[in-house]
Amino acid sequence: MSTNNNMNLTLKVWRQKNAETRGAFVTYKAEGISPDMSFLEMLDVVNESLIHKQDEPIHFDHDCREGICGMCSLYINGHPHGPKNAITTCQLHMRTFHDGETIVIEPWRAAAFPVIKDLAVDRSAFDRIQQAGGFVSVNTGGVPDANEIAIPKVIADEAFNSATCIGCGACVAACKNASAMLFVSAKVTQLGMLPQGQPERYSRVQAMVAQMDAEGFGSCTNTGACEAECPKEIKMTNISRMNNDYFSAKLFREEAMHEHAASGE
Amino acid sequence: MSEFKQTFNSSLGKKLIMALTGLFLCTFLIVHLGGNLLLFSDDDGYGFNMYANFLTHFPPIEVVAYLLYLCILVHAVYSLILTIQNRKARPVSYAAVNKSRASWSSKNMGLLGSILLLFIVIHMSDFWFSYKYSHKIGFKEYRTDLATGKTTSVDYVPASADFEKSASTENNIEIVRVKDLHARVASSFSNLLYVVFYVIAMGAVAFHLLHGFQSAFRTLGWVHRKYTPVVCFIGTWLFAVIIPLGFAAMPVVYYIQSLNK
Amino acid sequence: MSLLDAKIPAGPLAEKWSKHKFNLKLVNPANKRKYDIIVVGTGLAGASAAASLAELGYNVKAFCFQDSPRRAHSIAAQGGINAAKNYQNDGDSVYRLFYDTIKGGDYRAREGNVYRLAEVSVNIIDQCVAQGVPFAREYGGLLDNRSFGGSQVSRTFYARGQTGQQLLLGAYSALNRQIHLGKVKMYTRSEMLDVVIADGHAKGIVTRNLINGNIDTHTGHAVLLCTGGYGNVFYLSTNAAGSNVTAAWRAHKRGAFFANPCYTQIHPTCIPVTGDHQSKLTLMSESLRNDGRVWAPKTVEIAEQLRKGTIKADQVKEDDRDYFLERKYPSFGNLVPRDVASRNAKEMVDDKRGVGASGFAVFLDFADAIHRLGKDAVAAKYGNLFDMYYQITDEDPYKQPMRIYPAVHYTMGGLWVDYNLSTNIPGLYALGECNFSDHGANRLGASALMQGLADGYFVIPYTLGDYLATIGPKPVDAKHPAFEKTKQDTINLINTLLSMKGTKTVNEYHRDLGHIMWEYCGMARTEEGLTKAKGLIKALREDFWKNAIVVGANEEVNASLEKAGRVADFLELGELMVDDALMRRESCGGHFRLESQTPEGEALRDDDNFAFVAAWEYKGDNQPEVLNKEILDFEFVHLTQRSYK
């Protein structure tokens, strides 16, 4: 629509064939970019022109394109998910940039998130942390009526705030230590606050933190960069809550970490 | 035991140690500043020297002092370990400078801490080490007329090399002979470079604690809708403003005084 | 043509499922670990099925093309999930949910399936709450409900505007637990490209590892397709960019019948298209219609001024506004079902009364709600949606009405399954949006999540056991020639695609296909238009195989190759959808044939001739597909003309 406002941009994009090869920045021109495009649509346009030249398109992860699946990433001009707050890259629109601007696009950088290709990284470490304990051990069927558990609204709302995490990894990308504390603590807190999560509260936190450490994430310096960049505005309070649970579990509680895994079947 | 080992080897365990040692060091600062305020009393160093003598000779304080030194070491060593681990967590750095909103001090705790460590080494070798383990520091004799309360002082040269302190009363005059750390302080603080270094170090204290104090509470998991603002207030005004200002005032005031002499 | 048996148990509606469960064979607990089950897709249906089957003791292999099972597009569902809990004491019941769903589906769904869906809906909520899903609550601590999508009772459970996310994360957590326990082996970034049929039974799948291009075969005693819908055949839809029909379509080409492909749901409240660059359409929750009023200008002149931007919406006088839904449907007003709301918006646009620069939009106005409730109350209810709208359009919906236009959202059609969720190929099952079973010709709001979870948690764990007990726990023969043959077919297809070095990108073909589908097989369909579309799609498909460009190699991450395979399948599916729409000379639900409407312009069914499920049978490349019919018997409800007046 705003054809007359179309922009010409210079992109400096990280290209890397696969995990084994070294990568480098390659410069591309993105021309005739409408301010109404999303950032990913802008990359689509660049990719279409690359394919027309029989060149390999820039690879990036994306799926839902409405800010909820957590698949898109991209470290844009020094910000995970670009310069705007509380959105993912797919929700970032080109009107945020100005004509002639140079945009530097990098993958998430963390030892625990190795590059798969170009801008896509492997975030399966997050899955493994969740597998270590991010659940309530109930089998299908045989559960009580939903309204048998009354949960104070304030608790339900707080747990919900933690539950909104989309697992994108922006917190790791933003953290100067590549720490995953915000991600891990969001799940630990969600389940730790709710009555359903109580039976495994202290085994869960131990298991998830142990897995987090095993994946090679850094530790938390409470800088707050994670909170500032989280597209879902998850609060650092979660980290403190998790620490509290963790220290209680490790220093004062009877539960060991392995009890968690032994449940089920 | 292995479970404790595992706990303190975890990333959270290491942060717990950082937080606890850090907070202990914070409490020390209050005591240290309180004592050092004696530098401002116009008694030719009597109070200060007595205080210094008390600190180095009262056994319980000595125990706490060694705990303190241990904390400094542990805090520094763990920060180094954590820093190395954190660097390893991001082997390839970003080309674009990270612009995420985060306070400058929180991102530079390592730099600030390194300045502080350097400062502590110099500070302790100049005063604490010289005081305790060398004979570089002279003695002073204070004579207080108990009737009038007036005190006069003169330099004192002890007969024995093992002399530490003496106090006696003769003819209603109290005579106290004690190591004159105060003179050492005054002479150090007449050196402009030294004063500038101290002021910079106190700036580092301010920024280190601006983040560190409240961060320690966060790490310990002590966050609360009602109390966290209080912690932040104390961290900012007491630890990042009043205490560093108080410490920085000493070299500055002594330097100005030295100019007038 | 044959008549299909849906295996609906006989007897009273309310007893069918209980009786059927009793009659199903059970697998001995000690034998369960001898069975391998393949689950493709990890959305609500897939994750819940994989977790539940693993809990029972089966070995599950789960596959998804995304980097994590948590990314499946179920996550994007906003509004809520229905359940006949009657917590609100407002007259809801299993029977009412059943009835509403049958009626909402315009009497093109099976009574038995829909009743079962309503019956197990209550268990779903219990299950999710037990997992820690943070549903909205009242101050008293109990669960909150809202009325949704034209329902007369409040039976929708919700979690802000992210119900799908919270339910999926619940199912994902159950899945994670089983992965941790070693009962589920998870394959991420793996795309299923074919199903292996050995001696008439589904015994495995062929996948491509999306990182290194490895083509692998996997064996299983049964294969469950939980691969979602095919709305992306329209190019622009509210589906995720990666959503595709490939798994279902390749199964179809191996013999599974594809049912009612033309039933597509067009959601009325989406953010309009801004230009050719657009890659997806963003849905805004239907709940907006609870307080927003839909209108278009009364005259073409005013509409033109709005399109040019010479006047703004708030400058249009009350008398010059046509609140067309309220005018035409006084009792339901803005809350008419999705198909009705969508079609009416299209009528406005066809009438040249559309707004926005493109003219393809109508207004959804909150001025009255803001006036009545205050801005804060409106923000509390819809704040995140308003922010989202602002983010995308750069317009402030608190000041100017939103512009909305319908977009493809859900596909009611899918692989044909019987009451056991089995396709006509033994051992091949389809769950969730991938099957056709429960929504008839139109799905009610907040019912997709319900169906996906019902299938995965509460239906397949029972019905699959019956099949497994029948075939016995003998290991699957991985040496059966069908595995090698199917794998080779897949490799051949990939090589063909990679050899294509034409002039037009795969994405451009997809966009062209989308235009054809939207124009002729979208909200209103005609004999003439559909016939034309059939020719256009055929020509496009032929051109695709001649002129498309696919770059890169197989042995690497290659999005271009992935997309090419998916678009190739869409190009075939598109034609089948058109065939189905042509065959069905009636209007029903989401399928609106202009030739078949009531004097008031409503969808006019032809129950005498079309009360059947159309299950299409693949007969080979470029051969016309054969229609098989499953006659729909309505024993318990009386078929009526839907009316929302």
Side-chain angles (χ1 to χ4, degrees), chain B residues 13-198:
Chain B
K14 292 194 192 95
K15 295 301 296 189
L16 175 67
I17 289 170
M18 290 299 286
L20 290 176
T21 51
L23 283 182
F24 182 70
L25 295 174
C26 284
T27 58
F28 162 72
L29 282 184
I30 301 175
V31 178
H32 191 32
L33 179 68
N36 284 21
L37 285 177
L38 292 168
L39 280 176
F40 290 129
S41 66
D42 189 16
D43 58 358
D44 206 10
Y46 174 73
F48 182 73
N49 284 340
M50 289 299 283
Y51 163 71
N53 185 278
F54 171 75
L55 285 187
T56 46
H57 292 85
F58 187 57
I61 296 266
E62 278 197 285
V63 172
V64 174
Y66 280 101
L67 187 64
L68 183 74
Y69 309 145
L70 185 71
C71 277
I72 293 171
L73 273 180
V74 168
H75 197 80
V77 169
Y78 267 77
S79 72
L80 192 66
I81 296 172
L82 282 164
T83 305
I84 291 168
Q85 274 179 353
N86 291 342
R87 289 277 159 83
K88 263 199 240 160
R90 175 163 295 137
V92 183
S93 50
Y94 289 112
V97 180
N98 187 316
K99 296 198 197 97
S100 303
R101 193 183 68 233
S103 66
W104 180 86
S105 54
S106 73
K107 290 191 283 186
N108 291 286
M109 291 298 276
L111 172 71
L112 295 165
S114 303
I115 295 173
L116 289 180
L117 189 63
L118 179 69
F119 167 77
I120 290 169
V121 169
I122 291 174
H123 177 66
M124 286 185 65
S125 70
D126 273 5
F127 297 126
W128 173 80
F129 187 81
S130 303
Y131 189 86
K132 265 197 107 163
Y133 301 108
S134 81
H135 298 286
K136 285 184 206 160
I137 293 174
F139 285 79
K140 212 158 213 155
E141 181 180 286
Y142 295 96
R143 289 174 166 269
T144 308
D145 183 338
L146 291 178
T148 60
K150 268 192 134 181
T151 304
T152 56
S153 64
V154 288
D155 286 351
Y156 167 74
V157 181
S160 145
D162 294 335
F163 181 82
E164 288 287 336
K165 182 195 169 195
S166 74
S168 57
T169 307
E170 290 171 24
N171 305 331
N172 221 18
I173 289 179
E174 186 194 57
I175 302 168
V176 176
R177 292 168 183 145
V178 68
K179 250 190 191 176
D180 191 7
L181 185 62
H182 179 256
R184 171 79 186 199
V185 169
S187 96
S188 293
F189 286 173
S190 63
N191 179 339
L192 182 61
L193 272 177
Y194 206 85
V195 171
V196 168
F197 175 62
Y198 261 62

Side-chain angles (χ1 to χ4, degrees), chain C residues 259-287:
Chain C
N260 300 336
C262 80
Y263 290 166
T264 42
Q265 179 166 82
I266 314 251
H267 197 290
T269 52
C270 297
I271 298 176
V273 179
T274 56
D276 253 359
H277 58 262
Q278 191 124 3
S279 63
K280 95 152 257 156
L281 294 170
T282 304
L283 171 93
M284 285 180 304
S285 171
E286 190 153 39
S287 61

